[in-house]
Amino acid sequence: MKLLITGGAGFIGANFILYWMNHHPDDSIVNFDKLTYAGNLENLKTLEGNSRYTFVKGDITDGSCVDRAMDGVDTIVHFAAESHVDRSITEPAPFVTTNIIGTQVLLNAAVKHKVKRFHHVSTDEVFGSLELHSKEKFNEQTRYDPRSPYAASKAGSDHLVHAYFVTYGLPVTITNCSNNFGPYQFPEKFIPLAITNIIEGKKVPVYGDGLYVRDWLYVEDHCRAIELVLQSGKAGETYCVGGLSDDISNIGVIKKITHMMGKDESVIEFVKDRPGHDRRYAIDWSKIRRELGWKPEYDFDSWLEKTIVWYKENKAWWKHVKTGEYQTYYKQQYG
Ligand code: NAD
Ligand code: TDX
């Protein structure tokens, strides 16, 4: 099988390519990525020279480039996106361009090339926000209620993907998953930002009262969920994917990280809240468990600790990433 992976130089895409190459020795992969600030070929340097792997530098909004890359492709796994909520608040336009228009360009090419499966990687953020302390969870029937430009652009892309299934019969599947963590995550996101700041002796910025709740999913569990959906998921269906059973607040996560890193809570710095900050996310992943036999295998505490070790052992990777544009972004975001 030949797969086209969009956004494969980013966090989840790179983890997925490494996972797939390892578990599917007869398959080949084309990694199609624009290499924005978030794309980093260092993530895939172990694949250099591998005849089953090809990299194409391209923009998913560029129809002719996408068309060429799709030649002979059976399956598309679409990760490419502008993915950071805070950046979408400062500058929404690239989110609309990449996440909505880019997805539509890919869908058109997929129809033309008669691909056997178009898998769209989406987020729980399209469902909006849940009440703190409620027992409610997002599931596949939850009404869409995106509340940030990022979430709205992902919601738009989900609707387009579904529309191409209904209108053109394109065999699509969608996963809406929660916050991933693990190796190669860009240190603008909460967990790698906290770990790398602590290693550098800096404070960890916590938005508002810190009582916001996210569901955390180890990235390899996410990769396995996508694998199962590609193998046995039903065209036209959506699957929610999550990692935890109990709520944990951002402060709870930081307390775990500081404890695991031998620091006290004086590293925490409460900063101005994110506008429109979603209070709580929680995911009901019983459909993918029931229908495809998936469940998260990696428990949060052990894999958070292993993630900390990865950042400690890969300082060159994130120190390089934290230079240049990152410094400008950090100053603008945190003052
Ligand atoms: P990321 O920001 O780390 O990587 C995104 C990748 O897409 C980068 O390599 C970037 O260069 C590439 N890209 C951006 N614009 C492009 C364009 N126009 N053309 C081609 N390539 C482009 O993102 P991530 O965290 O790995 O997320 C991957 C996908 O998973 C996204 O669609 C995101 O919405 C979704 N998702 C992420 C999370 C999470 O916790 N990180 C959770 C749920 C869903
Ligand atoms: O400095 C920070 N301080 C802070 O308190 C940052 C960067 C975040 N936070 C809070 C905001 C959120 O409540 O931590 C929580 C997690 O924040 P992010 O890592 O920015 O993730 P989130 O906004 O929840 O979105 C993520 O999960 C869903 C990904 O970035 C999205 O791509 C994905 O769709």
Side-chain angles (χ1 to χ4, degrees), residues 198-212:
I198 291 173
I199 297 174
E200 290 179 309
K202 294 183 182 146
K203 298 267 188 196
V204 176
V206 172
Y207 295 157
D209 58 14
L211 298 178
Y212 294 86

Side-chain angles (χ1 to χ4, degrees), residues 60 70 72 80 88 226 243 266 320 328:
I60 56 167
M70 229 176 255
S88 84
I226 296 171
S266 62
H320 175 65
T328 316

Side-chain angles (χ1 to χ4, degrees), residues 211-268:
L211 298 178
Y212 294 86
V213 171
R214 295 294 180 264
D215 178 276
W216 297 99
L217 173 69
Y218 188 65
V219 63
E220 194 172 319
D221 272 329
H222 184 192
C223 294
R224 224 168 19 80
I226 296 171
E227 179 186 42
L228 274 174
V229 171
L230 290 178
Q231 289 169 335
S232 325
K234 205 169 143 228
E237 292 289 310
T238 285
Y239 300 88
C240 283
V241 185
L244 301 179
S245 309
D246 300 319
D247 281 8
I248 180 164
S249 67
N250 292 340
I251 277 293
V253 172
I254 287 304
K255 284 186 178 164
K256 279 184 192 290
I257 292 175
T258 51
H259 179 73
M260 287 170 183
M261 296 183 74
K263 300 283 174 198
D264 63 37
E265 288 161 29
S266 62
V267 299
I268 296 171

Side-chain angles (χ1 to χ4, degrees), residues 107-248:
L107 287 163
N108 255 8
V111 170
K112 181 182 158 196
H113 286 267
K114 297 187 172 59
V115 301
K116 297 195 184 77
R117 175 65 65 85
F118 184 104
H119 181 73
H120 179 57
V121 180
S122 192
T123 170
D124 58 359
E125 305 212 5
V126 298
F127 301 126
S129 183
L130 298 168
E131 289 293 316
L132 206 54
H133 308 307
S134 78
K135 289 271 169 260
E136 214 192 330
K137 295 188 173 194
F138 300 134
N139 63 39
E140 293 77 7
Q141 272 73 51
T142 305
R143 190 175 70 90
Y144 274 45
D145 182 23
R147 290 155 39 90
S148 71
Y150 164 70
S153 68
K154 291 297 287 189
S157 67
D158 290 12
H159 292 319
L160 278 165
V161 171
H162 189 66
Y164 270 68
F165 169 70
V166 176
T167 308
Y168 305 107
L170 183 69
V172 307
T173 40
I174 300 177
T175 39
N176 292 94
C177 78
S178 56
N179 290 53
N180 286 218
F181 69 103
Y184 302 114
Q185 186 167 30
F186 195 85
E188 66 188 349
K189 306 284 170 29
F190 189 49
I191 287 180
L193 180 86
I195 298 170
T196 56
N197 273 18
I198 291 173
I199 297 174
E200 290 179 309
K202 294 183 182 146
K203 298 267 188 196
V204 176
V206 172
Y207 295 157
D209 58 14
L211 298 178
Y212 294 86
V213 171
R214 295 294 180 264
D215 178 276
W216 297 99
L217 173 69
Y218 188 65
V219 63
E220 194 172 319
D221 272 329
H222 184 192
C223 294
R224 224 168 19 80
I226 296 171
E227 179 186 42
L228 274 174
V229 171
L230 290 178
Q231 289 169 335
S232 325
K234 205 169 143 228
E237 292 289 310
T238 285
Y239 300 88
C240 283
V241 185
L244 301 179
S245 309
D246 300 319
D247 281 8
I248 180 164

